[in-house]
Amino acid sequence: MLTKGIDIRASRTHNVGLFATEPLPAGTVVWLPCTKCSRWSREEVAALPEDRFASLDTYGHLLADGSLLLPCLGAYLMNHSCEANVLDFGLDFGVAVRDIAPGEEVTCDYATFAEDHGWSMACHCRSPRCRGTITTDEGRSPGLRQQWSTTVERALPRIAAVPQPLHDVLTALSEPYRRVLRGLTTLGEVSTGAAVHAPAFAAAGWSPPA
Ligand SMILES: [Zn+2]
Ligand SMILES: [Zn+2]
């Protein structure tokens, strides 16, 4: 599920991307996997024709259990940036890690999708800190993980301080969100180990809408 105030527009680095249409202050939860997101089981993934799987894998996330999640409401169109303004590291949702102004593209870091082993892409994000080739394997790099952790922890105390259009869904689905609202501020306290690509509801026998 994607928060309000975001629209799909032509992107300067990709065909299309997600753009803020209103200010999204640091701490705004921008998206989370929800029960309306499409999901294919490991068996269904195995039965997909190769080209169909390739196109779904481009936009979706392979989960630890071998299933595939395609975020709903266009959230799957969020592009990568090596200086992403949304991060999900250690969380089961994506949070704005700095203020996002209207007109700015909303981006995340694809290297955080660590379950999608062996995936890589040439990056054209134009950031001075561009890493060139993005791989999900680099998501295991200690330096990168420390950087994500520091950046996310700076945003955590903001979560309770800014409007959260997704509050009801987050309260229902996300234990890390509930912990943040109880005043916990480090990833060690907040994280359940269920990353954004492996949401808790996925393990509860939930199946995709027909
Ligand atoms: Zn959803
Ligand atoms: Zn880049």
Side-chain angles (χ1 to χ4, degrees):
M1 184 164 286
L2 191 64
T3 193
K4 68 184 186 70
I6 292 180
D7 203 8
I8 299 166
R9 293 186 196 157
S11 162
R12 66 186 187 131
T13 56
H14 298 78
N15 287 336
V16 292
L18 301 181
F19 289 80
T21 58
E22 50 189 81
L24 299 171
T28 305
V29 176
V30 169
W31 83 279
L32 79 160
C34 78
T35 54
K36 294 194 181 84
C37 295
S38 300
R39 190 157 166 261
W40 290 260
S41 69
R42 175 195 288 272
E43 293 71 30
E44 289 165 334
V45 168
L48 288 170
E50 206 167 304
D51 54 342
R52 171 85 170 132
F53 172 75
S55 66
L56 286 174
D57 192 31
T58 299
Y59 297 107
H61 311 302
L62 266 185
L63 312 185
D65 63 2
S67 64
L68 184 81
L69 179 86
L70 188 67
C72 69
L73 295 180
Y76 62 87
L77 294 172
M78 197 184 300
N79 288 320
H80 166 92
S81 167
C82 295
E83 284 185 282
N85 49 25
V86 170
L87 283 175
D88 54 64
F89 182 70
L91 303 171
D92 59 2
F93 54 81
V95 63
V97 292
R98 57 179 184 268
D99 293 340
I100 303 173
E104 197 178 336
E105 182 163 4
V106 177
T107 55
C108 59
D109 193 322
Y110 286 1
T112 62
F113 302 131
E115 305 299 346
D116 210 338
H117 296 293
W119 183 89
S120 74
M121 151 189 114
C123 186
H124 307 286
C125 76
R126 302 188 188 186
S127 156
R129 301 173 65 183
C130 183
R131 304 194 298 269
T133 301
I134 307 309
T135 72
T136 44
D137 292 334
E138 73 183 327
R140 290 197 288 274
S141 138
L144 205 48
R145 296 174 73 86
Q146 184 57 53
Q147 190 184 314
W148 289 332
S149 176
T150 303
T151 308
V152 167
E153 286 186 345
R154 266 203 308 266
L156 290 181
R158 304 278 310 148
I159 288 177
V162 300
Q164 297 292 354
L166 298 177
H167 173 80
D168 291 349
V169 182
L170 283 159
T171 304
L173 294 179
S174 172
E175 174 61 19
Y177 181 77
R178 292 189 290 259
R179 291 182 186 180
V180 167
L181 292 197
R182 288 203 298 270
L184 303 180
T185 54
T186 67
L187 275 182
E189 297 168 319
V190 166
S191 183
T192 58
V196 73
H197 37 276
F201 69 80
W206 174 80
S207 56

